[in-house]
Amino acid sequence: MRVVVQEWQRVLVYRDGLFEVELGPGRHRLARRRRTVVPVTVRPRLVVTPVQEVLTGDGLAVKMSLASVVRVDDARVWHEAVDAPDAFVYAAVQVALREDVASRTLDELLADRSEVGERLLVATRDSAARVGVVVESVALRDVVVPAELRRAAADVATARAEGLAALERARSEVAATRALANAARMVADQPALLQLRTLQAVEAGGATVFLSTGAAPVGPVVQA
C-alpha cells in the first residue's frame, strides 16, 4: 500500500486496531494487510463561537462572539483522546468566556475588551492540550449591550456635551463682561481714549460721527 502524506497532514497507522506508527509528509509504503490509516489535518483552522448571551459580574446580560485559531499539535492524542475533539475545544472556550465575563462588571469588560482574548487563551490552554490541540489565538469579535443600556449611555453623553457647551457659553459671557468693564475703567481714567477711538472709527470708515457742542462738553457719538 502506498501512502502519500501532504505537508499539512499526519497519517496514523493502526494494525489490528493497535497504533503502529505516525507518518509525516512524503511518500510511504506499507503492507496493506490488517492495517488501517487515519489522515489528520494539522494546519491551523478557525473556530467561531457565535453570538451568545453572557451575564456580567453586575448581573447585566451582554451578547458576545469569539473567533479562535486552533491547530492539531498531537495527531494521535487528537484522534484517540475524545470522540469529538473540536467540540471539546469549542466547549472549553465557551466555559472560559462565561467564567471570565462573570468575574467582571460591564464597565470593566468594555474598558479592557482587548485583553479578553489573552485571558481566554491562557484559560483554555490546558484543556486543549488534553485533546492534542493548541489554541493559537482567541479574539473577541462582538460585544452587544442591551438597548436600554445603549440609550442610557447616549443620554449621559448628550447631557455631558450639553453641560460642556453651557459652561463654555458662561465662560465667554464672563470674559466679554470683564473686557467691557476693563474698557469702561480705562475710559473713565483716561477720557482721551474715547477721542482716540473716535478718530480710529473715522479713519476706518463705515461709521457716522456726530460732534455736538453745548454748554457742557459732550463726547462725540459714533453710529455704525
Side-chain angles (χ1 to χ4, degrees), residues 3-220:
V3 178
V4 177
V5 183
Q6 303 296 331
E7 186 67 36
W8 61 86
Q9 290 180 322
R10 300 295 182 269
V11 171
L12 307 176
V13 180
Y14 291 86
R15 181 177 181 181
D16 295 333
L18 299 175
F19 177 76
E20 186 175 53
V21 67
E22 177 181 320
L23 303 180
R27 180 178 297 180
H28 306 269
R29 287 190 175 276
L30 299 171
R32 183 182 298 273
R33 187 177 180 184
R34 300 186 312 200
R35 286 182 173 83
T36 57
V37 296
V38 179
V40 177
T41 300
V42 297
R43 59 187 170 191
R45 59 186 181 278
L46 183 66
V47 177
V48 176
T49 304
V51 175
Q52 54 189 285
E53 194 170 80
V54 187
L55 289 178
T56 63
D58 47 357
L60 299 174
V62 295
K63 295 181 179 180
M64 308 178 70
S65 64
L66 300 172
S68 308
V69 177
V70 304
R71 64 175 175 83
V72 175
D73 184 58
D74 190 319
R76 182 183 177 186
V77 174
W78 182 87
H79 179 64
E80 297 179 0
V82 294
D83 183 52
D86 284 348
F88 185 90
V89 175
Y90 179 89
V93 172
Q94 278 189 317
V95 171
L97 173 64
R98 294 181 181 276
E99 291 178 351
D100 184 80
V101 173
S103 66
R104 286 168 172 78
T105 65
L106 179 60
D107 290 340
E108 293 172 344
L109 182 65
L110 296 177
D112 63 350
R113 57 178 298 176
S114 60
E115 299 177 3
V116 173
E118 292 297 326
R119 293 196 298 266
L120 296 182
L121 186 64
V122 174
T124 57
R125 182 175 297 157
D126 293 340
S127 298
R130 287 199 291 271
V131 294
V133 173
V134 170
V135 181
E136 295 188 340
S137 66
V138 180
L140 184 62
R141 298 178 63 194
D142 302 299
V143 179
V144 182
V145 300
E148 57 273 16
L149 292 181
R150 293 199 299 271
R151 287 194 295 269
D155 291 342
V156 170
T158 301
R160 184 181 296 112
E162 291 176 349
L164 292 175
L167 180 60
E168 189 61 30
R169 286 195 298 271
R171 287 175 176 172
S172 298
E173 292 174 357
V174 170
T177 302
R178 185 180 294 113
L180 290 174
N182 291 335
R185 283 194 298 269
M186 292 176 65
V187 170
D189 295 338
Q190 301 181 26
L193 290 176
L194 184 59
Q195 304 296 331
L196 180 59
R197 182 69 184 92
T198 302
L199 293 176
Q200 290 177 340
V202 171
E203 182 180 358
T208 302
V209 179
F210 294 93
L211 298 177
S212 61
T213 61
V218 179

